[in-house]
Amino acid sequence: MAKVRKKLGQILVENGTITSEQLETAVTMSKGAGKRIGEILVEAGMCSEEAVAKALAMQFGIDYLDIDDEAVAAKVDASLLPKDLIRKHLVLPLGKERGRLVLLMHDPKDLELLDLIRFRQNTEVEPKMCARGKLKAYIDGKMEGGAKPMVPGGNESLLTASIDKSIDKSVDRSVDSSIDQAAESAPIIKLCERIIIEAVRNRASDIHIEPMADRVRLRYRIDGVCIERDNLPKRMQNAILARFKLMAGVNIAEKRIPQDGRIKMHIPSEDGGEGETVDFRVSSCPAYHGESIVLRILRPDSVRIGLKNLGFEEDTLQAFNKIIRRPNGIFLVTGPTGSGKTTTLYSALDVLNRPDKKIITAEDPIEYAFTGINQCQVREGIGLTFAKVLRAMLRQAPNIILVGEIRDREVAEVAIQAALTGHLVFSTLHTNDAPSAMTRLIDMGVKPFLVSSSIQAVLAQRLIRKVCPKCRKPDDNPDRKYLRLTGITDEEMKNHTIYKAVGCDNCAGTGYRGRQGIYELMTMNAEIRDLTFKVSPSADIRRAAIAGGMRPLLGDGKIKVLNGITTPAEIARIAQVEGVQMAEEELAAV
């Protein structure tokens, strides 16, 4: 009975070169790309070309020889084969043994080549294995007058040249020695890991890999501001993108449509401790010069810092705590993308997450896993929309429901019906301020009387950068236009210290370190409900809310400035969307 030949992937797993999970991913990728498993593994940086070549040699029962070995190189006799055949097929003759031509090759499955050599040379062939990159480097270097340098590790298919040490040093100078000493042929793995580790240690919220015409730009978003970290060589683009896509579990061969994936990675501690496991939400989007990839860093501890640490003033926090403990109604959090809405809602759920309460969420995607909360993933592709998940939730008899985002009338109406039938509903809405949420829902097609009767409160928020405590300095001559925008008077300046951002090592020269929220909490009262029912303009609702005790975003920002938490320039930067005229009207009303 013929012996069954082991598969290449099985050999690599048994050798400990790759894991079974990596093999499964590579098999899936190879189906979409139409490539062999070995090629996919090398291109994705999961193992070296040399490791694949050795596994192929084991699979076909032939010897693996390293052309870098002087003893092997000494046997090369290029006169035994035409040079055009050697260059075209990347093979090297090693003389003859027992009447057979010993041939160093990289593909033992190339039976047509073996037949061609047998026919042209009228001799039997004894194949030997070697990595393709090493063969090409030897042929280019020795037979072509040294025109092209040899690729370290022979990984020609992964990179056209080795990663410059200057690039590795620019990513993390602390690992220069480890990179220099490592003999692995997949430096892209090290580079991508160092990018992720450095971003996490620098408190970044996002990693942006953006292909340009002549380079690949690497940026970190730290404290809400993008900072350019490095420019990587254009030749590394395909390998870097393939590595991140493979880590995220998406199709590395698909480059025409956007894809979403996730990465879970252990980040070692700088002081040698256990470190932490961090989740990353990965998004790839086709662009003109190649796919742009963004990794959103999701830290579980960021939503468990407690309501007091979010930046609420004492009166706002008391009102907030009363609202989230109501038995029914809708509580909306509004603001642009990246303003901390999810963190605020999850902080509220963390307070309410008790054994006597059943909480269900509908999210797209699920960013943070919470013990004790039933979290449902929305899947638009199979028809599992927010509306369908929300209707299914109501049959589960929950006390509290969180809807990731109200996007259309259908979701809004189901959420309102849930609120009117005794459920407390949390959700988010994309509006610039709290009063605009009323008109936004009505514009979606929700009937005004449903909006006025179901909404309990709306919280608008932004995230501001906190001035670095180690390098901040009193600002004796602050910019008057910033003071005017924030409403700080000369009398208030006398009684409070206004700080300016300077910059030091602690804050990476930005003058700011960490972020905090500024809020405006609009609690519904009889006047606001009446204006909503009458479909009054949002400006009228805003005036009524301020008259009823709502502190606007700029007013909350002013308190942060007077308390030395941030600077007038930072509040002005965040509040620019509100407009100077609106700010003046609000501050005059206050």
Side-chain angles (χ1 to χ4, degrees), residues 67-86:
I67 192 60
D68 292 344
D69 188 342
E70 293 181 1
V72 176
K75 296 180 180 180
V76 174
D77 187 358
S79 64
L80 295 176
L81 285 178
K83 287 188 177 181
D84 63 327
L85 191 147
I86 291 175

Side-chain angles (χ1 to χ4, degrees), residues 238-259:
N238 291 338
I240 290 173
L241 299 183
R243 177 60 183 166
F244 278 118
K245 290 173 69 176
L246 187 77
M247 292 173 71
V250 301
N251 189 349
I252 63 174
E254 181 57 74
K255 301 178 180 179
R256 301 166 297 172
I257 60 175
Q259 297 187 83

Side-chain angles (χ1 to χ4, degrees), residues 461-510:
Q461 67 178 74
R462 300 289 189 277
L463 288 178
I464 58 165
R465 293 181 296 171
K466 296 191 293 183
V467 67
C468 177
K470 291 190 176 182
C471 65
R472 68 178 186 176
K473 291 184 178 179
D475 193 353
D476 298 328
N477 187 28
D479 195 317
R480 304 299 298 182
K481 67 180 180 183
Y482 294 150
L483 296 178
R484 175 169 164 265
L485 179 63
T486 52
I488 298 175
T489 64
D490 293 338
E491 185 65 25
E492 288 171 328
M493 283 190 62
K494 293 178 182 178
N495 299 324
H496 298 83
T497 302
I498 307 298
Y499 289 97
K500 63 180 178 180
V502 179
C504 64
D505 292 339
N506 184 55
C507 58
T510 62

